[in-house]
Amino acid sequence: MQAWLSEVPAVVVYLAVFFLIGGQFVGLPLPGGVVLTTAGLIAVQGAVSPVGISLVAAAGVLAGSAVGYRLGARGGRAVLARLVTRFPRVLPEKRVVATERLFERWGAWVVVVSCFSAVLRMIAAPLAGTLGVPVRRFAVAMTVSAVAWSFGTTLGIYYVGQAAEQWINGLSVAGLAMLVVVALASVPSWFRRSVNG
């Protein structure tokens, strides 16, 4: 696995991070968190830069959320009204009203938290556009969220991965040393059995 990860071309990793994470913020059910975690592990192998991955991920979040917000602002109300009409049990009117109140009161905070939740990553931007969260407030909140999530996740995975790799390598050296000691300790008894037997 390590050899395969280190052979993935860097440009492919960066493009995958940008488009898959950006797509998730548009509202598509894509595995943004898994992609970012995997990219962090690839960075441990030295194939890509962890700071580069963080920057590309943040750019993907901002690009995708801008598109998602715009889509929500342009046609989100009609889509939401249709969903309420077609699926009243799943999406009752009172839930929509409660969500609107939540965004009115905590809109910026919901957006800030959105990067850290797989479900919110898909719906926060389109919903913010649909519910009319002011563009400037949305952009600031999403920028804070994008930077915190992208850098926090990537660098966290990177440093934990490096520590784990060093620990495993140390364990391998210690295991080899133990094997040599056990082998050397068993030589005299094997030799005595060979001579006596």
Side-chain angles (χ1 to χ4, degrees):
M1 181 71 165
Q2 289 180 348
W4 181 82
L5 286 177
S6 62
E7 288 173 10
V8 175
V11 69
V12 171
V13 177
Y14 290 125
L15 287 173
V17 167
F18 181 83
F19 285 108
L20 292 173
I21 288 176
Q24 188 175 28
F25 280 84
V26 171
L28 301 174
L30 297 172
V34 172
V35 168
L36 193 55
T37 300
T38 303
L41 292 173
I42 293 171
V44 172
Q45 301 304 313
V48 292
S49 159
V51 173
I53 290 294
S54 301
L55 290 170
V56 169
V61 169
L62 295 175
S65 63
V67 172
Y69 182 91
R70 190 72 140 173
L71 290 172
R74 284 196 173 173
R77 280 282 175 199
V79 171
L80 198 56
R82 229 175 298 135
L83 290 173
V84 168
T85 305
R86 288 194 178 178
F87 307 104
R89 288 185 180 201
V90 177
L91 192 61
E93 182 70 34
K94 63 182 180 182
R95 187 172 292 168
V96 173
V97 170
T99 304
E100 286 177 339
R101 286 190 187 135
L102 178 74
F103 264 85
E104 283 171 13
R105 186 167 182 192
W106 303 102
W109 290 108
V110 172
V111 172
V112 167
V113 171
S114 68
C115 283
F116 297 92
S117 163
V119 173
L120 283 178
R121 278 196 294 269
M122 289 188 299
I123 64 170
L127 200 53
T130 299
L131 300 178
V133 173
V135 175
R136 185 169 291 172
R137 190 187 312 168
F138 173 78
V140 169
M142 190 53 82
T143 300
V144 168
S145 187
V147 169
W149 179 65
S150 299
F151 278 85
T153 301
T154 306
L155 296 178
I157 294 291
Y158 177 75
Y159 288 119
V160 167
Q162 276 196 326
E165 190 172 52
Q166 288 172 357
W167 183 78
I168 289 169
N169 287 342
L171 189 62
S172 298
V173 170
L176 182 60
M178 288 292 286
L179 185 61
V180 169
V181 167
V182 168
L184 290 175
S186 64
V187 166
S189 65
W190 173 82
F191 185 70
R192 269 194 310 268
R193 271 187 270 134
S194 298
V195 171
N196 294 334

